[in-house]
Amino acid sequence: MAGLKRGDFVGSLDCGTTSVRFIIFDRYADIVAQSQSEFPQYYPNPGWHEHDPVEIQKTSEACIAKACENLEKNGWAKESVKVIGITNQRETAVAWHRKSGKPLCRAIVWTDSRTKNVVAHYEQVLAVTGLEVAPGQFKKGEEGVNALRDITGLKLSTYFSAIKLRWMIDNYPEVEKAQAEDDLLFGTVESWVAYVELDWRAGRGIHVGDVTNASRTLLMNLRTLEWDDRMLKFFDLRPSILPKLVSSSEVFGHIADGSLKGIPIGGLVGDQQGALVGNKCLKAGEAKCTYGTGAFLLFCTGEDVVQSTHGLLSTVAYQPGPGTTPVYALEGSVGVAGSAIKWLRDSMGFIKSASEINDLARSTPDSGGLYFVTAFSGLLAPYWDPGAAGLIIGLSSYTTPAHIARAAIEANAFQTRAILESMKLDSKTELIHLKVDGGMTNGDVCMEILADVGGFDVVRPEMRESTALGSALLAGAAICLFGWDLSKPETLAEVNTKGSVAFTPRTSLAQRDKVWTGWQRAIERSKGWEEGVAN
């Protein structure tokens, strides 16, 4: 279009659990244009959660097109976008045909808990047969658990994508056949989106995945940043189905079609690691928590892999370029955060919009002795109980929807505190403040309760699209845009510097300890409701 200004911008495609957004940033992380759209969620059976990969693809392309249209309405040419990054929901597993490029089945979402029996099976294998750590040398029982954790940083759980892929192969004949005929490609969402946007239609067959997402599969060696043959053998998977591993910041290819045809993709990163980068938590000891569908707390440990002994996971935070030394983090994940608010809205009808939760919770000074364990798909860190069930306890004739609303928000705060207690024990570091982002942080009540329950300061930035910003920073750094360099945090000094709000605890230590004791009792009552069975 004639008369449009030219600038230097970076785009971020944020493929979340329930929606996709495309955000265009300037050098200061001011948003120049954006677009967001939800895509369908499928729940065919209790505990199942699925996505259609093609719907994610089409929603992504539509968001890019709409954001570019909005950019031009704001007076800027779309050619101003110099590079884009992709960030994504992480452990969601996608399987597609090598020959046709079409999905073999719906993606199994990270929240899905159908694989409890698969986990039970491999727990039994670890206990009885063990993990072959060298030819003919097996480690089993507790030694096997520790060996698996030492290789991957993870533990056996329904959470991770190799477990979901194994379920697909065992339960969908078309996926089993594709692996047998070497016609199967596997990836997490960033791998799928990059495949369809970069190469499939252009015929180049680029199948890549970044190390942050790969560190959530149970298949990658955390230290070598390579697929580990021992884990592939353990899960009986062909190496040829896996994407080529790449760093978080490099040019992987160029967009094949659409509004930004020819623009390089320079950043791939899992959403929670993206938020860590977006919050500029690049040094050991810095931490952030993102409150979206779930809640994800990452504590940067620098170049050291710290093995948790208190229920946390070791993960790759980011790798700033090909061949560079990776940065690691400790992570604790909560499966249900914002999705509990959505449940109160959509299933229970307590509120008409998610934002109303704050007014409803504020209408009562406390939860009236109520505890809400939001274990809709079991419990993640630091409890790790896939058989745990959602529970509301302490109900009485005094209970109102306001008490339940407040208890739902408190559940989020209690689980955050549980993770931080574990991080303190593992890192020997006392957290002074917690940087936060994500949809739930828009409400002051949620942040006040988090500070009161946790006993620490909560720092909320003005621009809270930290996940998208992280992938934008990685993409920009890949082409040296604006002089950004992740290894030199000072080059990001001008990024997202507008005012932040700090929430400080208002409760006494005695008050915090009393409600914390009640929460721990509620957690114990929710555990072990449904156990997996080894096949």
Side-chain angles (χ1 to χ4, degrees), residues 227-454:
W227 299 119
D228 195 281
D229 290 338
R230 295 166 293 183
M231 298 310 302
L232 289 168
K233 186 174 182 180
F234 183 71
F235 288 112
D236 191 20
L237 299 172
R238 282 177 177 261
S240 60
I241 72 176
L242 299 172
K244 174 189 175 183
L245 289 176
V246 294
S247 76
S248 311
S249 180
E250 60 182 279
V251 173
F252 315 103
H254 295 74
I255 297 176
D257 204 356
S259 301
L260 294 179
K261 181 178 180 179
I263 298 299
I265 295 180
L268 294 179
V269 66
D271 52 7
Q272 302 314 318
Q273 287 94 331
L276 189 77
V277 173
N279 276 299
K280 298 191 287 187
C281 295
L282 306 177
K283 299 178 182 178
E286 297 178 325
K288 72 87 199 176
C289 193
T290 299
Y291 296 98
T293 301
F296 305 89
L297 203 156
L298 269 71
F299 181 95
C300 185
T301 60
E303 297 179 1
D304 297 325
V305 178
V306 175
Q307 292 286 4
S308 172
T309 56
H310 298 90
L312 304 179
L313 305 171
S314 304
T315 194
V316 177
Y318 61 95
Q319 186 185 16
T324 59
T325 301
V327 175
Y328 295 96
L330 279 172
E331 175 169 344
S333 303
V334 177
V336 175
S339 53
I341 310 305
K342 185 178 179 182
W343 178 77
L344 290 175
R345 181 193 68 188
D346 297 344
S347 298
M348 304 305 291
F350 284 7
I351 51 178
K352 293 181 179 179
S353 66
S355 60
E356 291 178 15
I357 192 74
N358 287 279
D359 292 335
L360 185 58
R362 194 187 291 278
S363 68
T364 180
D366 54 50
S367 58
L370 204 68
Y371 290 90
F372 186 177
V373 181
T374 52
F376 293 173
S377 300
L379 289 167
L380 298 180
Y383 310 108
W384 296 108
D385 184 354
L391 174 152
I392 298 177
I393 196 165
L395 288 164
S396 70
S397 56
Y398 174 72
T399 303
T400 67
H403 293 123
I404 296 174
R406 195 170 185 94
I409 295 173
E410 288 178 349
N412 186 59
F414 284 127
Q415 290 177 89
T416 300
R417 174 172 171 174
I419 291 169
L420 284 169
E421 295 279 350
S422 294
M423 286 186 171
K424 181 169 64 176
L425 292 169
D426 284 327
S427 67
K428 308 296 188 293
T429 302
E430 188 81 37
L431 186 77
I432 299 173
H433 64 258
L434 180 67
K435 293 183 179 179
V436 297
D437 60 86
M440 281 190 73
T441 65
N442 294 330
D444 287 358
V445 173
C446 292
M447 297 300 93
E448 291 164 1
I449 289 174
L450 178 59
D452 288 345
V453 168

Side-chain angles (χ1 to χ4, degrees), residues 514-529:
K514 180 180 179 181
V515 295
W516 178 242
T517 299
W519 168 258
Q520 291 173 308
R521 292 173 62 205
I523 279 285
E524 289 305 314
R525 283 160 171 78
S526 79
K527 288 181 177 178
W529 184 258

Side-chain angles (χ1 to χ4, degrees), residues 87-337:
T87 184
N88 61 289
Q89 46 162 317
R90 296 175 301 173
E91 294 83 6
T92 296
V94 188
W96 65 97
H97 283 286
R98 182 188 306 275
K99 295 174 184 175
S100 71
K102 295 180 179 179
L104 285 155
C105 57
R106 285 179 181 161
I108 299 181
V109 181
W110 63 271
T111 57
D112 189 287
S113 61
R114 76 183 70 178
T115 54
K116 286 192 283 285
N117 292 350
V118 180
V119 172
H121 167 75
Y122 282 105
E123 286 175 339
Q124 188 176 53
V125 171
L126 268 185
V128 177
T129 306
L131 175 65
E132 189 174 11
V133 295
Q137 181 183 347
F138 290 82
K139 289 192 175 181
K140 56 186 177 180
E142 193 62 30
E143 283 190 344
V145 171
N146 291 334
L148 185 146
R149 187 174 62 186
D150 186 61
I151 294 168
T152 67
L154 309 177
K155 60 179 291 169
L156 290 174
S157 168
T158 59
Y159 192 21
F160 304 114
S161 44
I163 297 287
K164 303 177 196 304
L165 174 61
R166 189 65 252 173
W167 189 95
M168 288 177 173
I169 294 170
D170 294 339
N171 290 273
Y172 292 139
E174 56 271 36
V175 181
E176 180 185 33
K177 181 182 178 186
Q179 172 164 252
E181 297 176 353
D182 203 19
D183 186 31
L184 172 63
L185 293 181
F186 158 76
T188 41
V189 170
E190 96 292 354
S191 183
W192 163 251
V193 172
Y195 185 83
V196 293
E197 296 305 328
L198 285 176
D199 57 74
W200 150 235
R201 288 164 298 178
R204 292 195 296 272
I206 299 172
H207 183 210
V208 296
D210 101 289
V211 292
T212 65
N213 282 286
S215 72
R216 314 296 294 179
T217 61
L218 280 169
L219 300 175
M220 191 189 81
N221 188 304
L222 201 60
R223 291 170 177 80
T224 66
L225 303 189
E226 296 175 347
W227 299 119
D228 195 281
D229 290 338
R230 295 166 293 183
M231 298 310 302
L232 289 168
K233 186 174 182 180
F234 183 71
F235 288 112
D236 191 20
L237 299 172
R238 282 177 177 261
S240 60
I241 72 176
L242 299 172
K244 174 189 175 183
L245 289 176
V246 294
S247 76
S248 311
S249 180
E250 60 182 279
V251 173
F252 315 103
H254 295 74
I255 297 176
D257 204 356
S259 301
L260 294 179
K261 181 178 180 179
I263 298 299
I265 295 180
L268 294 179
V269 66
D271 52 7
Q272 302 314 318
Q273 287 94 331
L276 189 77
V277 173
N279 276 299
K280 298 191 287 187
C281 295
L282 306 177
K283 299 178 182 178
E286 297 178 325
K288 72 87 199 176
C289 193
T290 299
Y291 296 98
T293 301
F296 305 89
L297 203 156
L298 269 71
F299 181 95
C300 185
T301 60
E303 297 179 1
D304 297 325
V305 178
V306 175
Q307 292 286 4
S308 172
T309 56
H310 298 90
L312 304 179
L313 305 171
S314 304
T315 194
V316 177
Y318 61 95
Q319 186 185 16
T324 59
T325 301
V327 175
Y328 295 96
L330 279 172
E331 175 169 344
S333 303
V334 177
V336 175

